Amino acid sequence: MSVYSDASSEDLGDELQSLGWYHYDLSRHAAEALLLSNGSDGSYLLRNSKEGPSCFALSVRAKDSVKHFHVERRDSGYKFGFNEFPTLQDFVSHFANQPLLGSDTGTLIVLRSPYPWHVEEPSIYESVRVHTAIKTGCTENDLVAAAPALGTKEGYLVKQGAIVKNWKLRWFTLNRYELKYFKDKESKEPIRTLDLRSCSAVQFDYSQDRVNCICLVFPERTFYFCAKTAVEADEWIKILRWKLSQTRKGR
């Protein structure tokens, strides 16, 4: 008999509440902001996924980006990666051994420490010394909430040169509206930073004599990159297009 067959969804919810790093309905955006600002390399947390009541997301900080992995709760237990764990205790014990994960981009991540749901905060507040209006005549309709889209990604892509049309392997990072590429993963300074707010289109490209090719169209130049697999190319295109859609909302 399944260990969950007689359990209600409420019972299962109560089970997860005992997990100190389960962050309930924390959004993807908030998880990335939290781990990037206050976590460390290898910090992770579990949160609900929008894909269904039995679906969760494990958000993991990998240096300057955040990766998200599926966790599914089934009648037979918790499915994560290649493994299935019959109980929550087995699932948690797996994390105590600091598992090593490999993503589609080839990035290896050690799950070092869970990020707790409850973190102590100081009860210290600034005193208001100046309080006056800079603008006048504005209404609540002029008050528009805005923030850069987070959505991070990183990995190796093969890039075509600008003048000599040769192809070189480069390490790419995507953070906020900036797509940076480096000589390699260990390089500290980028070769170039592309501001996606100036990009007009992202699409698959079939004009080059290569497979899994992506092009980014800028006013001064079109950039060509190639991914190792079609799945990886599709992931890059999806998140880059999403970034572009976010930039256009703010215009």
Side-chain angles (χ1 to χ4, degrees):
M1 181 182 292
S2 163
V3 293
Y4 297 123
S5 58
D6 296 324
S8 67
S9 59
E10 185 176 351
D11 293 331
L12 294 174
D14 291 341
E15 177 184 63
L16 281 175
Q17 287 177 21
S18 66
L19 196 61
W21 41 281
Y22 171 52
H23 287 242
Y24 301 85
D25 290 327
L26 187 74
S27 68
R28 182 186 182 112
H29 182 105
E32 292 187 0
L34 190 65
L35 291 172
L36 287 172
S37 65
N38 206 38
S40 57
D41 188 28
S43 295
Y44 58 87
L45 58 85
L46 186 70
R47 59 187 178 82
N48 294 338
S49 169
K50 293 182 179 180
E51 296 190 7
S54 297
C55 297
F56 304 89
L58 185 78
S59 300
V60 186
R61 176 167 175 177
K63 294 188 177 178
D64 294 327
S65 69
V66 176
K67 309 291 187 185
H68 305 274
F69 300 91
H70 285 292
V71 176
E72 184 181 357
R73 185 164 53 196
R74 301 176 174 178
D75 287 344
S76 55
Y78 289 84
K79 177 73 168 60
F80 172 58
F82 300 129
N83 300 326
E84 190 161 328
F85 306 92
T87 67
L88 179 64
Q89 184 59 50
D90 293 323
F91 179 63
V92 174
S93 296
H94 175 68
F95 286 88
N97 293 313
Q98 293 194 344
L100 177 71
L101 295 183
S103 67
D104 290 332
T105 61
T107 302
L108 294 177
I109 311 165
V110 178
L111 304 185
R112 300 183 188 280
S113 58
Y115 191 94
W117 175 72
H118 177 71
V119 178
E120 291 294 332
E121 298 177 347
S123 297
I124 301 171
Y125 300 92
E126 296 290 329
S127 298
V128 176
R129 300 301 184 193
V130 176
H131 192 174
T132 187
I134 296 176
K135 288 185 176 181
T136 57
C138 296
T139 68
E140 65 273 13
N141 295 326
D142 299 304
L143 193 63
V144 179
L150 286 172
T152 61
K153 189 170 177 60
E154 61 183 13
Y156 277 107
L157 295 170
V158 180
K159 176 190 166 293
Q160 186 187 63
I163 301 173
V164 180
K165 302 298 182 180
N166 57 347
W167 296 82
K168 292 185 179 179
L169 188 66
R170 295 290 184 239
W171 177 256
F172 284 77
T173 65
L174 176 62
N175 194 5
R176 296 180 179 265
Y177 296 142
E178 294 183 337
L179 179 65
K180 298 180 180 181
Y181 58 90
F182 302 76
K183 182 179 180 181
D184 53 42
K185 191 175 180 179
E186 285 70 39
S187 297
K188 301 299 181 184
E189 295 297 324
I191 296 172
R192 185 165 183 169
T193 299
L194 301 178
D195 188 339
L196 295 177
R197 289 171 291 190
S198 302
C199 182
S200 59
V202 178
Q203 59 197 31
F204 276 108
D205 182 83
Y206 304 99
S207 66
Q208 308 299 313
D209 188 23
R210 284 177 174 260
V211 295
N212 311 321
C213 197
I214 306 164
C215 71
L216 275 69
V217 181
F218 286 82
E220 73 285 359
R221 178 183 165 192
T222 298
F223 292 83
Y224 296 94
F225 315 108
C226 289
K228 188 175 181 180
T229 66
V231 171
E232 190 178 337
D234 187 58
E235 287 182 353
W236 275 104
I237 284 180
K238 283 179 178 176
I239 193 166
L240 286 167
R241 282 179 173 171
W242 180 78
K243 290 279 191 180
L244 260 62
S245 70
Q246 299 301 301
T247 66
R248 287 162 185 163
K249 285 181 181 178
R251 293 176 184 173

